[in-house]
Amino acid sequence: MTEKLTGGEALVAALRAHGTDTVFGIPGTHNLPVYAALSRHGVRNVTPRHEQGAGYAADGWARASGRPGVCLTTTGPALLNAATAAAQAHSDSVPVLFLSPGLPLRHPGRGNGHLHEVKDQRAALDAVVAYSHRVTRVEEIPAAVACAFAAMATGRPRPVHLEIPLDLLDEQAPVTIAEPVPVPALAPALPQVRAAVRVLADAARPVVVAGGGASGAAGTLRTLAEHLGAPVVTTANGKGVLADDHPLAVGAGLHHRAVHDLVRDADAVLAVGTELAPSDLWSGPLDLPGTLIRVDADAAGVTANALPDIALVADAALALRALLEHMPAPGDAAPGARRATRARAEHREQARAEGSAHLGLTRALAGALGRDGVLAGDSTMACYYGALSNLPAYKPRSFLYPTGLGTLGYGLPAAIGAKLARPEAPVVALHGDGGLMFTVQELATAAQLRLPLPVVVVDNGGYGEIRDEMDARGEPVHAVDLPFVDFPLVARAMGCHGLRADDEPQLARALQAALAADRPTLIHLPESAAG
């Protein structure tokens, strides 16, 4: 049905037609016509205190829910504030739609000092997302939204930016709201399926490496691993794709020697939905003497970092289902289970040694989160040395972590998005003292929303990772120590509960109380008490 709508209303109506009921953003002079339309279409706006927080919250929403998140900013500095979050979403293959006004259609090309003027904000965002598109007519807006959602559902999910000239937001025109474009999942080519089946069926020592791209195929991946008797290791974003207490689960963390040894010994490796990226491997690529079979929805990604012997460019669930359908009867799974048990024991020993300073923390977190919880972690030592490999996960999309770009400040706003997407699940944010200061203002957002959200801050007095790297290089250690901040006092000033825990039992009790509280609770934990 065609209606005469303003550009702002056309945008919101199109979002609603695509299932959007929540956006994260801050009103500004140039996006007010969009805000005027939100409530009329049943779309809730969550107002973070900074646009970077809005982007991270939309990212957390998308990761936890499996649906695209939406970040709405105004022009210029607001959109550029969100650019880091957009780059993080692109790095970790998260579908987030970034929306902003742009300067007017007839704005002088060389600029004239207009409010929030940026030389070329569309180009700035285009550098860090899948694509950035500037519409030029009100009538185009619904189609642009439909195209963006279709793009985020095609192949590897990536963020998209739409720019709408601010004069179009108030302009009226006859508009037809486009229905969502059906995007069928990409099926694998049968010759590659048969080739992969022959290799896997004949393999004596198969191994599965699962990344974030396997999150929607967890059940099928488990069935195939059991059929093959194949140990399963996961990347950070794949954590929980196979429950950590499954007999074939080795754990998360591709950088450990146990994983490298397991893969080196394998005669077939099935890598599903992973780039095999340096940010997951840390210390160099995997040695892959066996046959490498890669499953990836992205034709470019399927050859990244390691050339496959057999490539299945396809949706992970469809590819794994096709492999199962063509697989002969299962053989003896006992040898695979024994290999998984040995590798898991070695992996956990290495993980415990690496994360020894944070084992009490991870035990307390495990007790609080149970089997259904979500941890939103920051790029902090407590997360990548502690929680990544030592915190058990039982479901996909339960470990939200800024892997590739490695941004600071992600955890708290991402936890807000995750809690709004999954209100029934226990959600905890994990930060270091340095990283929290990048987005500490989002405590006020969580307090305004009355979220029962524990925010654990592990305090090592500064940027501990960089301090250690300076020391390891034999260089002067400087510019990394941060003066003491009374984080519980800061939290209380923003409407949260705030307290300090000095050992594991205190932390465990604080987490349980925080999950039942009437507002967020910041828990300040000295690093000496995290072990």
Side-chain angles (χ1 to χ4, degrees), residues 153-211:
T154 302
R156 184 176 182 178
R158 297 284 209 185
V160 172
H161 169 239
L162 293 183
E163 175 181 298
I164 304 172
L166 62 92
D167 48 340
L168 293 188
L169 292 176
D170 276 322
E171 182 179 314
Q172 285 192 328
V175 170
T176 301
I177 301 302
E179 293 298 315
V181 176
V183 180
L186 182 62
L190 190 56
Q192 280 69 40
V193 170
R194 288 173 172 160
V197 165
R198 286 193 295 270
V199 170
L200 292 170
D202 291 342
R205 300 178 307 282
V207 169
V208 175
V209 180

Side-chain angles (χ1 to χ4, degrees), residues 296-321:
D296 204 294
D298 180 11
V302 81
T303 59
N305 298 306
L307 291 175
D309 298 289
I310 302 170
L312 281 73
V313 179
D315 172 79
L318 291 185
L320 298 181
R321 195 173 304 132

Side-chain angles (χ1 to χ4, degrees), residues 88 229 368 397:
Q88 183 64 63
R397 305 186 182 282

Side-chain angles (χ1 to χ4, degrees), residues 209 254-257 259-261 263-264 275-289 292 294 304-307:
V209 180
L254 302 190
H255 59 287
H256 289 133
R257 187 186 68 252
V259 172
H260 285 251
D261 291 346
V263 169
R264 186 183 303 110
E275 290 178 289
L276 300 173
S279 55
D280 274 308
L281 291 164
W282 297 15
S283 56
L286 295 172
D287 185 4
L288 295 157
L292 175 61
R294 295 189 69 172
N305 298 306
L307 291 175

